[in-house]
Amino acid sequence: MKRTLAVLLAAAMMLSLTACGGNGNAQPQQEQPKQEEAKQEEPKASEEAPAKGTDGKLRRNEIVRVGFTAPVAGFTWSPLLIAQVMGYFDEEGIDVVFEQSYSSSATRMVAANQVEFSTPGPHLTSAGIASGMDIISVFQWYPVDIFGFAVMEDSDIKTIADLEGKKIGTMTPTTANQVIPIIEAAGVDSSKVEMIPVGDARVQQLTEKTVDAVWTWDGEWQQWKAEGINIRYLSGQEVYKSSSNSIIASTQLVAEYPKLVEGFSRALAKGSYFCYKNPRAAADIIISNWTSLLVDLDTAEEIVQTSVNFMTGGKEVMEGNTIGQHSDDSWNLMMKDYVRMGIVPEEVPLEKCFTNQFVEKINDWDRAEVDKDAAEYQYVSK
């Protein structure tokens, strides 16, 4: 199978972030995947609807825009980068442009056709649908709760239940929508917890002990630890059996371009599987292309190894036929909490929140071919 590097067509639109995963000091950038003969081209990210192909998907090499709810260059999103570098998107006739968004604008960008896909949490997707947005989740990227809390190693906070009466550093005020279900599932009275929005200063606030704990997620806290910050992680998944971020699209895109949704999702599934099969190769791709991460190969491999199972669903999902599948149980659990918390006025029917219509096609590819890619990967880093 051809494994030439797909040409990265765009520089990411990095906004001054005040929301989920943002960095108020970050400089606008998108790092170019390495390829000896690759040439850089300017993006053509028109906000007009793309022309419809005769086969129901976008024309070959049509630009497809993906909006992120956290900085693009980060371990959390690595399967997308790997799908691009290994040519999986190219095989589907897709050229991907990574674009930064605010967390709360992720749903609006999709609804307004500013991006084809985005990566919000289920609370944002549910709230957007409840407000009348024509959006729907098409791929359950993180089938478990990847969120939790970091505390200093010497902290007397040993479990999530110990957070009662403490100060938690969060991203924005709306981060409470993700924090409250987790801490309440651990028996914490959320009215007795002080949540302080500190954006990307969370880990600094933690080390300076102006807060007792900070909200974080798999793929981020590992990087803090790799940077030498002596922290422990309290996993939300241990007490709150929910799902996390998924891939959403507009209902119009789903109706008019189903093969595009299938192809994009299938390429992402391959990228996730590659991470699962060879974390070291995945780490090499990440640090070779996203050099702003400033970690060596061994450290990057450790980060991928400790986060990949949470972010992919692990062996059961990766070696089965359920990559991308949404769980009724998880979404029902979350929806009841969203109603209770006032995120949505009433339960949104699950069939409006997500679709599993693409799961069969998402998983319709030869695992052995990606096994071979992962085993024969040629390292760039020393």
Side-chain angles (χ1 to χ4, degrees), residues 24-46:
N25 297 318
Q27 296 299 313
Q29 65 176 3
Q30 169 65 44
E31 300 171 32
Q32 180 81 3
K34 294 184 181 299
Q35 178 189 35
E36 291 182 1
E37 299 180 358
K39 62 181 180 180
Q40 298 184 11
E41 299 179 20
E42 291 299 316
K44 302 175 182 177
S46 168

Side-chain angles (χ1 to χ4, degrees), residues 78-79 82 270-279 282 286 304 308 312:
S78 52
I82 289 160
K270 292 179 181 179
S272 298
Y273 183 75
F274 185 103
C275 282
Y276 165 75
K277 292 297 293 187
N278 193 341
I286 295 164
V304 175
V308 69
T312 65

Side-chain angles (χ1 to χ4, degrees), residues 8-25:
L8 178 61
L9 296 179
M13 182 175 64
M14 300 288 281
L15 303 176
S16 294
L17 298 176
T18 57
C20 177
N23 186 342
N25 297 318

Side-chain angles (χ1 to χ4, degrees), residues 50-321:
K52 185 176 181 180
T54 55
D55 60 355
K57 72 174 183 178
L58 298 185
R59 298 184 299 270
R60 178 163 183 78
N61 296 326
E62 187 79 24
I63 293 175
V64 173
R65 302 155 295 177
V66 184
F68 292 85
T69 50
V72 174
F75 287 91
T76 307
W77 313 121
S78 52
L80 277 166
L81 173 67
I82 289 160
Q84 184 179 56
V85 169
M86 296 306 295
Y88 302 141
F89 284 124
D90 188 59
E91 291 171 0
E92 300 291 346
I94 295 171
D95 285 328
V96 172
V97 174
F98 298 155
E99 297 192 359
Q100 184 65 55
S101 72
Y102 291 94
S103 175
S104 58
S105 71
T107 51
R108 292 196 298 272
M109 290 178 74
V110 170
N113 193 40
Q114 293 173 336
V115 295
E116 277 70 46
F117 300 100
S118 192
T119 59
H123 65 296
L124 293 173
T125 300
S126 300
I129 294 168
S131 71
M133 292 184 188
D134 292 324
I135 58 174
I136 191 167
S137 179
V138 295
F139 183 105
Q140 182 63 66
W141 194 350
Y142 306 141
V144 300
D145 194 331
I146 67 169
F147 299 103
F149 307 93
V151 299
M152 297 305 297
E153 183 63 45
D154 61 359
S155 171
D156 60 357
I157 300 173
K158 305 301 182 184
T159 69
I160 292 176
D162 295 331
L163 290 172
E164 187 162 313
K166 305 298 185 180
K167 295 179 180 179
I168 301 175
T170 67
M171 266 297 196
T172 69
T174 60
T175 307
N177 294 334
Q178 292 174 287
V179 171
I180 290 174
I182 296 174
I183 62 175
E184 290 188 344
V188 173
D189 182 346
S190 59
S191 69
K192 296 181 180 179
V193 171
E194 183 179 358
M195 295 184 217
I196 305 173
V198 292
D200 270 340
R202 282 169 296 133
V203 72
Q204 289 84 359
Q205 296 293 316
L206 181 63
T207 57
E208 293 170 6
K209 299 189 176 180
T210 57
V211 295
D212 302 299
V214 294
W215 177 79
T216 184
W217 56 86
D218 276 292
E220 181 184 62
W221 71 265
Q222 291 96 334
Q223 189 169 347
W224 292 345
K225 197 171 181 69
E227 292 169 358
I229 302 171
N230 198 19
I231 59 174
R232 282 186 288 109
Y233 180 64
L234 309 176
S235 171
Q237 176 64 17
E238 293 183 2
V239 296
Y240 192 61
K241 307 298 184 183
S242 68
S243 305
S244 301
N245 298 50
S246 63
I247 301 294
I248 67 166
S250 69
T251 54
Q252 180 181 1
L253 189 77
V254 171
E256 294 186 3
Y257 305 105
K259 291 186 179 179
L260 169 65
V261 178
E262 292 170 8
F264 176 87
S265 301
R266 187 162 45 240
L268 175 56
K270 292 179 181 179
S272 298
Y273 183 75
F274 185 103
C275 282
Y276 165 75
K277 292 297 293 187
N278 193 341
R280 189 169 182 84
D284 185 70
I285 292 172
I286 295 164
I287 65 173
S288 297
N289 291 282
W290 287 341
T291 55
S292 62
L293 293 174
L294 300 177
V295 294
D296 60 27
L297 180 58
D298 289 340
T299 301
E301 180 185 10
E302 182 180 353
I303 293 172
V304 175
Q305 284 180 326
T306 56
S307 60
V308 69
N309 283 338
F310 281 103
M311 295 194 297
T312 65
K315 181 177 181 179
E316 182 178 356
V317 175
M318 288 293 101
E319 297 186 9
N321 58 1

